[in-house]
Amino acid sequence: MTLDNIKPGQGGVITAIGGQGALRRRLLDMGLTPNTRVQVRKVAPMGDPIELSLRSYVLTIRKEEASKIELKEVFSI
Amino acid sequence: MKYVFALAGNQNSGKTTLYNNLTGSNQHVGNFPGVTIEKKEGQIKKNKDAYLVDLPGIYSLSPYTMEEVVTRDFLLKEHPDLILNIVDATNIERNLYLTLQLMELSIPMVIALNMMDEVRASGNSIDVKKLSDYLGIPIVPISASKNEGISELVDVIMKTAMEKKSPKKLDFCTGEVHRAIHSISHLIEEQAEKSGYPLRFAATKLVEGDEPTMKGLAISENQLHIISHVVDDMEKALDTDREAALADMRYTYIEKICKDTVIKKQETKEQIRSEKIDRILTHKYLGIPIFFSIMFLVFWLTFGAIGAPLQGYLEVIIGAFTEMVSETMNAAQVSSWVHSLVIDGIFAGVGSVLSFLPLIVILFFFLSLLEDSGYMARVAFLMDKMLRKIGLSGRSFVPMLIGFGCSVPAIMATRTLSSERDRKMTIVLTPFMSCSAKLPIYGMITMAFFPENAALVMIALYMTGILTAILSGLLLKSTIFKGEPVPFVMELPAYRVPSRKSVLVHMWEKGKDFIQRAFTVIFLGTIIIWFLQSFDWSLNMVGDSTMSILASIGTLISPLFIPLGFNDWRASTALITGLTAKEAVVSTLTVLTGAGTDIQLSAILNTMFTPLSAYAFLTFTLLYMPCIAAFAATKRELGSMKYAVLTALYQTLTAFAAGTLVYQIGSLFIGG
């Protein structure tokens, strides 16, 4: 399961970050590292980007970027 | 002894507020060498010999964004005496990620743990003493917005700097990563010392595969081979790649110390409040209408309710002052050309630009409120999808919208864009948004040619501007601004009440900036135009502007506009004077045609243009290079005269091409 495929209110635990270069490094630097719990809070009115909650802060990324983040243990709140 | 301290921290950590608290109004603003990233330097209050440099807000020391590279270069090459690292206590894990990287630089460090008031008020707590012991760095809890803990912070900074005590070597790495860093350290020990790189930092960066460090250390082929071997082994053993391995290692260590020092029972009040506010402000259906309503309100207040009367008063004051100076000069019987230079040149030119000052200050008052409250990040979230198609991100939306009011503050507002590429592209595209000073021109021409369809023509012009910006964006995206755009991975900070001081400082800076330009670039520009308008080629002053140098230049370039369907020196001259301020096109045309009434003017305009060529003229006016004030802002924000000139050239050529298209294609249908 990738992060772009889950609905607002759902979350999961990151297993891997795909992609490369600046983008991937940026995701890692912002704390999207393996074993981190992340939750999708919202989708922007035009359908993209999405709003995430992790490490007790709020982050927004595009769906394209979210599709590179692999999840396990998907949960709903 | 003079001390230089560097202030580093994440975006939204309260860095600017802390900086303003520490330095007061004693600030010098410039740019970092070679880039348009702002560099602020100020003296710390009550400490004559201590200077604080405000570094860009960053999340990491990766080599990918200009902000990060600038920070690294500053820290490695300028050798500040101390790094003051501001850490947001409500978001401590991600903030400490940068801290761990800064610690590797072996520069004395102090942490200002900001927003501790919010942590406490929510019943959470942080064991500051224990955290300080873990990191081996003095930590001072503060609240920048309430100005708490600041004097204690200054004491600790001065003490630490005098002791020159660097952070202890923190071994957050274990196992394979540790082994890799250790063996690479041995390999490069000599080079690191020679080139002034902190060893631990250099070794870690090489494990990450950081190119600037490889270059900086002049790593040989042979060494590179060994390094990649070491890293390969590490990656295999950990079953992950080098960058992920180190990020993971840092966060794992942070989680460990936070578990031991941070008690977090619940989200802070501010975080809970933010979530509630966002239920409305980024609502699926309400979010975008609310955004446009807010922008409409800002526009109405700036350009209408508050700004317009203030602008009027200022004009009256400037007018009265001009009158007074004029009379004094008459009484003193100064020669007529000096009188003309001072009154028609300097006072008229600079005066008309200065009357924009209230608009700039008011607009930036609202923009700082939107920015400092955290709403601008939401705007980017709401509008990103739309702007992505032309290679920009949601953040560019606000400057472009302001462009409909005035290009000058719009270009100045690009300063808040975090990506240099986005910023430059936005500066080039913003003037295509039809500014309010062009309205009198549209009014005059539509009255003469399209009295029945005035509204339709106006709407068509505004749409043409937007369309041109979109097409230009697509063009620029695939040519000059190719390359990877900075990824849209952006924090949505908790909403906070903006600090009064930050808002005032911001308004003051923008106002000062504008006045400075009014008396330098704009001053010079208006004198040149005045000279061209008032003298003939033999440098005699002309009573009749039709004999001036400007008129002859107008005549000279007039044939250039044949493809646009008009060839009249009065039109081309008006386009030149329009560079001082766009509404000058109207006054010049009125003066040069000698028309007394609107009806006369319409009649004369009808001899100069056909309806189609009048529309081509309007299209050109809409798109060609902006006025001197906007040009000066472009130069300032691009940080280069060359690029500012190229930008103006690009805009003018675009205008020429669009005007030609309008006339030539139009001719096919209605035969000129």
Side-chain angles (χ1 to χ4, degrees):
Chain A
M1 188 70 115
T2 52
L3 187 56
D4 61 321
N5 280 321
I6 64 171
K7 292 195 189 76
Q10 290 186 312
V13 175
I14 298 174
T15 53
I17 309 280
Q20 55 185 334
L23 170 67
R24 177 164 191 273
R25 175 61 184 268
R26 178 86 166 171
L27 295 173
L28 291 166
D29 284 344
M30 295 306 274
L32 291 158
T33 52
N35 297 318
T36 306
R37 272 171 71 95
V38 56
Q39 188 205 332
V40 175
R41 297 221 311 193
K42 200 176 253 184
V43 178
M46 290 187 251
D48 200 14
I50 58 174
E51 186 182 318
L52 308 175
S53 160
L54 73 150
R55 297 189 186 275
S56 63
Y57 82 100
V58 184
L59 183 73
T60 169
I61 65 175
R62 291 175 179 161
K63 279 193 170 165
E64 194 190 331
E65 272 104 78
S67 70
K68 295 180 178 124
I69 299 170
E70 291 280 344
L71 296 181
K72 63 176 181 187
E73 298 167 28
V74 172
F75 57 83
S76 297
I77 298 168
Chain B
M1 161 119 194
K2 183 187 163 187
Y3 288 104
V4 176
F5 307 141
L7 177 59
N10 285 185
Q11 286 170 27
N12 310 310
S13 59
K15 197 160 66 65
T16 308
T17 309
L18 175 62
Y19 181 79
N20 288 336
N21 285 344
L22 285 171
T23 61
S25 55
N26 207 336
Q27 303 183 0
H28 173 78
V29 185
N31 275 349
F32 284 97
V35 289
T36 59
I37 296 168
E38 193 170 83
K39 178 185 177 186
K40 281 192 197 166
E41 193 174 348
Q43 201 184 76
I44 294 182
K45 278 186 214 163
K46 293 176 203 145
N47 280 277
K48 265 194 185 142
D49 311 318
Y51 291 84
L52 187 64
V53 177
D54 189 19
L55 299 174
I58 51 168
Y59 296 104
S60 167
L61 288 180
S62 91
Y64 292 117
T65 72
M66 282 317 296
E67 286 74 10
E68 289 166 347
V69 172
V70 160
T71 304
R72 284 162 63 130
D73 283 354
F74 183 86
L75 295 174
L76 286 174
K77 288 171 192 161
E78 305 286 321
H79 304 290
D81 296 290
L82 175 139
I83 300 172
L84 173 57
N85 176 211
I86 180 165
V87 167
D88 175 357
T90 65
N91 187 352
I92 195 162
E93 282 187 21
R94 204 208 54 224
N95 274 259
L96 286 178
Y97 182 78
L98 177 68
T99 307
L100 288 192
Q101 296 183 59
L102 292 171
M103 284 171 66
E104 288 174 346
L105 292 165
S106 306
I107 298 172
M109 238 171 112
V110 169
I111 290 177
L113 192 59
N114 195 19
M115 310 198 201
M116 272 305 278
D117 51 331
E118 290 184 15
V119 171
R120 278 189 223 111
S122 311
N124 302 330
S125 72
I126 295 175
D127 189 336
V128 175
K129 171 87 182 46
K130 210 167 179 183
L131 184 62
S132 171
D133 287 344
Y134 262 116
L135 298 172
I137 302 174
I139 300 179
V140 184
I142 64 162
S143 164
S145 61
K146 292 186 180 149
N147 210 2
E148 284 170 11
I150 304 299
S151 59
E152 198 197 340
L153 177 65
V154 173
D155 292 343
V156 174
I157 293 171
M158 294 310 291
K159 186 165 161 276
T160 313
M162 281 176 209
E163 285 170 358
K164 294 191 196 316
K165 202 173 131 217
S166 296
K168 73 173 186 195
K169 298 237 173 343
L170 195 63
D171 232 349
F172 61 86
C173 292
T174 48
E176 298 297 329
V177 181
H178 176 84
R179 210 164 301 153
I181 293 177
H182 199 71
S183 36
I184 291 177
S185 290
H186 279 301
L187 185 70
I188 57 157
E189 210 166 345
E190 238 169 81
Q191 279 149 297
E193 197 172 327
K194 229 183 275 167
S195 42
Y197 269 72
L199 182 59
R200 164 79 194 200
F201 174 78
T204 315
K205 287 292 151 191
L206 289 174
V207 174
E208 283 180 319
D210 183 274
E211 277 178 30
T213 306
M214 287 184 203
K215 267 189 212 135
L217 290 173
I219 297 291
S220 69
E221 278 288 311
N222 191 25
Q223 283 173 317
L224 205 60
H225 190 75
I226 302 173
I227 292 170
S228 73
H229 193 78
V230 171
V231 171
D232 276 350
D233 284 351
M234 177 192 82
E235 286 180 335
K236 238 174 258 162
L238 291 171
D239 191 30
T240 181
D241 66 295
R242 37 175 41 177
E243 285 191 319
L246 274 165
D248 190 25
M249 202 59 89
R250 289 196 183 102
Y251 270 114
T252 306
Y253 180 77
I254 292 168
E255 281 162 22
K256 198 184 103 196
I257 55 176
C258 283
K259 210 172 179 184
D260 221 9
T261 57
V262 180
I263 300 171
K264 179 154 183 162
K265 296 183 203 139
Q266 55 185 354
E267 291 198 305
T268 66
K269 283 177 187 149
E270 285 73 13
Q271 285 165 337
I272 295 166
R273 187 180 62 190
S274 276
E275 202 177 341
K276 282 186 186 149
I277 296 175
D278 266 343
R279 272 183 217 156
I280 301 167
L281 292 187
T282 60
H283 184 268
K284 199 171 175 189
Y285 302 112
L286 296 177
I288 292 176
I290 289 176
F291 165 61
F292 280 107
S293 309
I294 291 175
M295 285 316 290
F296 177 79
L297 189 69
V298 168
F299 254 72
W300 178 70
L301 289 171
T302 307
F303 296 100
I306 311 178
L310 280 181
Q311 192 176 17
Y313 296 143
L314 194 61
E315 269 165 6
V316 170
I317 295 170
I318 292 172
F321 187 58
T322 311
E323 190 63 26
M324 202 180 78
V325 173
S326 169
E327 270 168 28
T328 316
M329 282 199 295
N330 280 338
Q333 292 183 332
V334 294
S335 64
S336 68
W337 77 267
V338 176
H339 184 273
S340 170
L341 168 67
V342 175
I343 302 301
D344 305 333
I346 299 171
F347 273 78
V350 175
S352 74
V353 171
L354 268 190
S355 67
F356 280 102
L357 187 64
L359 298 190
I360 306 257
V361 174
I362 296 168
L363 189 61
F364 276 100
F365 169 74
F366 290 120
L367 289 183
S368 341
L369 287 188
L370 296 181
E371 178 75 40
D372 295 354
S373 64
Y375 184 64
M376 283 298 197
R378 271 72 183 184
V379 173
F381 174 72
L382 291 172
M383 305 312 291
D384 180 67
K385 192 168 181 189
M386 223 164 97
L387 281 168
R388 185 183 328 165
K389 300 203 169 71
I390 59 168
L392 291 172
S393 79
R395 293 222 117 192
S396 302
F397 202 84
V398 169
M400 294 187 122
L401 210 55
I402 297 166
F404 287 116
C406 177
S407 301
V408 178
I411 291 166
M412 287 162 82
T414 58
R415 189 77 62 91
T416 55
L417 300 185
S418 52
S419 136
E420 199 183 12
R421 172 189 171 278
D422 284 12
R423 186 159 56 227
K424 287 181 173 166
M425 206 158 141
T426 310
I427 292 170
V428 177
L429 300 184
T430 295
F432 289 139
M433 304 298 136
S434 178
C435 80
S436 58
K438 290 174 189 163
L439 269 173
I441 313 176
Y442 305 160
M444 177 182 68
I445 300 282
T446 47
M447 193 181 64
F449 294 94
F450 319 103
E452 310 286 308
N453 297 315
L456 193 67
V457 170
M458 299 257 190
I459 292 170
L461 284 169
Y462 276 87
M463 296 317 277
T464 307
I466 295 169
L467 190 71
T468 308
I470 293 172
L471 292 176
S472 275
L474 292 174
L475 177 77
L476 293 175
K477 181 177 89 167
S478 53
T479 52
I480 308 170
F481 293 108
K482 226 177 183 164
E484 210 174 328
V486 174
F488 185 78
V489 179
M490 191 186 65
E491 180 183 3
L492 295 175
Y495 287 105
R496 288 197 171 87
V497 179
S499 103
R500 196 182 314 147
K501 195 167 183 182
S502 289
V503 173
L504 289 178
V505 167
H506 197 198
M507 279 166 70
W508 162 245
E509 271 174 10
K510 293 294 172 182
K512 196 176 75 174
D513 200 38
F514 183 73
I515 293 173
Q516 251 169 17
R517 262 179 290 130
F519 285 101
T520 50
V521 187
I522 300 169
F523 181 75
L524 201 69
T526 51
I527 289 183
I528 292 172
I529 298 270
W530 165 82
F531 175 77
L532 296 176
Q533 222 168 358
S534 315
F535 288 83
D536 63 16
W537 288 104
S538 28
L539 302 186
N540 292 317
M541 213 163 153
V542 292
D544 178 0
S545 51
T546 57
M547 307 294 285
S548 66
I549 300 178
L550 190 66
S552 65
I553 295 175
T555 311
L556 190 72
I557 64 165
S558 176
L560 285 176
F561 294 101
I562 291 174
L564 283 75
F566 60 93
N567 178 7
D568 188 293
W569 68 273
R570 291 166 294 192
S572 43
T573 308
L575 288 174
I576 299 173
T577 55
L579 297 180
T580 55
K582 293 292 162 157
E583 54 265 52
V585 171
V586 173
S587 53
T588 307
L589 273 177
T590 314
V591 171
L592 294 184
T593 53
T597 65
D598 284 351
I599 299 169
Q600 278 178 1
L601 182 64
S602 291
I604 299 171
L605 286 175
N606 267 293
T607 64
M608 292 164 62
F609 302 100
T610 64
L612 184 59
S613 70
Y615 193 77
F617 177 79
L618 282 179
T619 307
F620 187 85
T621 317
L622 163 74
L623 303 173
Y624 83 121
M625 76 170 277
C627 66
I628 295 177
F631 177 79
T634 306
K635 184 197 157 256
R636 172 92 161 81
E637 298 305 325
L638 288 177
S640 137
M641 188 54 142
K642 187 179 134 202
Y643 288 121
V645 170
L646 283 176
T647 300
L649 215 58
Y650 171 74
Q651 286 154 344
T652 309
L653 286 175
T654 306
F656 188 80
T660 306
L661 273 176
V662 164
Y663 185 71
Q664 299 300 339
I665 294 179
S667 303
L668 293 179
F669 290 99
I670 55 174

